[in-house]
Amino acid sequence: MSQIELKNVTKAYYADRKKSLARVVLDNICLEIEEGEFVTLIGPSGCGKTTVLNLIAGFEAPTLGTVEVNGKEVKSPSPERGVIFQEYSLLPWMDVKSNIELALECQNVPVHERAGKISKALGIVRMSEFADSRPNILSGGMKQRVAIARLIAMDSEIFLMDEPFSALDEQTRKKLDEDIVEIWKNSGKTAVMVTHSIEEALTVSTRIIMFSDSPGRIIGEWRLPEEMNRDPYSEEFVKLKIEIMEWLPACPCTRKERRWIAIE
Ligand code: ADP
Ligand code: MG
C-alpha cells in the first residue's frame, strides 16, 4: 500500500445550470505516492494539477474513482495533509505566531504545547525574530516561510504545495526551493508540489509527473535518483530539462479538445 493512492480518478465539474452535463478535467488518473517521496506535478495551465492537490487535500471529491491516504478514503481535509497555496494564506490582523497558533487550536493542540511547537517551527524556517510581526511587513518569501512553519508546527505528514514560490523573484524562489528540500530531507515527510517550472521540478523532486493538456491524464513520469546532479548547468540536468520540455504538450490554446460526461 502506498501512502497516497489515486485509483482511476475522474473529476468533472458541472457545466450547465441544470447540472446534467459536466466537463471532465481529470481523466482516469492512477497515481501512487510512497511515504518520503517528493513528487512534482507539471503540465499545461488548466490541465488539472491544482485539482489533483485539492482531491488529496480533501477539498474536493472525485466524480469517479477514489483517493486514499494511508489506506483510508479521503473524505474531508485533515491536518495530516497540510497545504501551502500560491496566494499567501496568512490572516493579516494576526501576528505570525498567532497565525500558526490558530492552526494548532483548530487541531486541538493543548495550549501549553503550542508555544514550543511554534518557536521550533519558526526556528527551522529562520523566522524566529518575526514571531510578533504582522504579515503586512513581511516579503512574499517570508510569508511562505511562515506557511511552511505552520505545516511543520502542525506536524502534517504530507505537504501539498500549489506553486508555492512562483510569485516570488527567481533568487528567493531558489533559496526557498533549497530550504524546502532540506526541511523535507530532515523530516522524512512526503511532499507533493505543483510547479510550472521544469527547473524547479528537477531541483527539488524525486519524481516528476507530467499531465496532458485538459482533460488531464498522466503522460510522462521521471524518477530522479538521489545522486542526480542538481546543478542547473550540469550536463545531466540540462539533458533532462530538454527531454522534459520536448515531452510537454503543445500550447493549450492550440488544442480545443473537450470531453463531457453526464453524471447523475
Ligand atoms: P491547473 O492547476 O493545472 O492550472 P486546475 O486544476 O486549476 O488546473 O483546473 C483544471 C480545470 O478545471 C480548469 O479548466 C478549471 O477551469 C476547472 N475548474 C477548476 N475548479 C473548478 C470549479 N470549482 N468549478 C468548475 N471548474 C473548475
Ligand atoms: Mg493550478
Side-chain angles (χ1 to χ4, degrees), residues 61-227:
T63 309
L64 300 169
T66 54
V67 178
E68 290 178 11
V69 170
N70 295 325
K72 284 200 206 115
E73 190 170 346
V74 170
K75 299 225 184 242
S76 58
S78 152
E80 72 174 3
R81 287 165 269 125
V83 184
I84 301 178
F85 302 94
Q86 181 180 355
E87 309 83 37
Y88 311 125
S89 51
L90 304 177
L91 297 172
W93 60 88
M94 281 186 180
D95 64 19
V96 162
K97 64 176 180 336
S98 309
N99 262 286
I100 301 178
E101 185 168 7
L102 180 63
L104 299 181
E105 197 181 323
C106 295
Q107 218 182 327
N108 296 320
V109 173
V111 176
H112 67 275
E113 286 179 19
R114 293 181 196 163
K117 284 178 186 276
I118 295 168
S119 72
K120 188 172 165 211
L122 286 174
I124 292 172
V125 300
R126 298 190 304 280
M127 286 293 288
S128 304
E129 59 188 291
F130 296 96
D132 301 319
S133 306
R134 294 263 181 92
N136 66 318
I137 68 143
L138 306 179
S139 68
M142 290 156 95
K143 285 179 193 160
Q144 290 308 59
R145 278 180 202 283
V146 176
I148 296 168
R150 183 164 51 193
L151 298 202
I152 295 171
M154 287 165 66
D155 208 18
S156 299
E157 262 180 68
I158 299 170
F159 285 17
L160 302 170
M161 299 177 275
D162 194 0
E163 306 198 31
F165 312 138
S166 59
L168 307 175
D169 62 274
E170 186 76 1
Q171 257 175 312
T172 309
R173 183 175 67 77
K174 282 198 167 139
K175 187 75 199 81
L176 277 163
D177 279 341
E178 283 170 20
D179 290 345
I180 198 77
V181 167
E182 200 187 314
I183 290 165
W184 161 77
K185 272 193 182 152
N186 292 334
S187 64
K189 311 270 184 193
T190 308
V192 187
M193 182 195 218
V194 170
T195 177
H196 59 246
S197 161
I198 295 172
E199 190 164 314
E200 180 171 55
L202 283 167
T203 305
V204 300
S205 38
T206 56
R207 181 152 60 117
I208 299 177
I209 305 283
M210 182 185 282
F211 286 81
S212 69
D213 191 7
S214 185
R217 279 167 287 113
I218 293 176
I219 54 165
E221 177 173 335
W222 288 263
R223 283 183 190 273
L224 311 180
E226 210 182 319
E227 63 277 10

Side-chain angles (χ1 to χ4, degrees), residues 13 23 25 44-51 60:
Y13 286 109
R23 184 162 74 85
V25 299
S45 173
C47 71
K49 305 179 294 295
T50 296
T51 306
E60 302 267 7

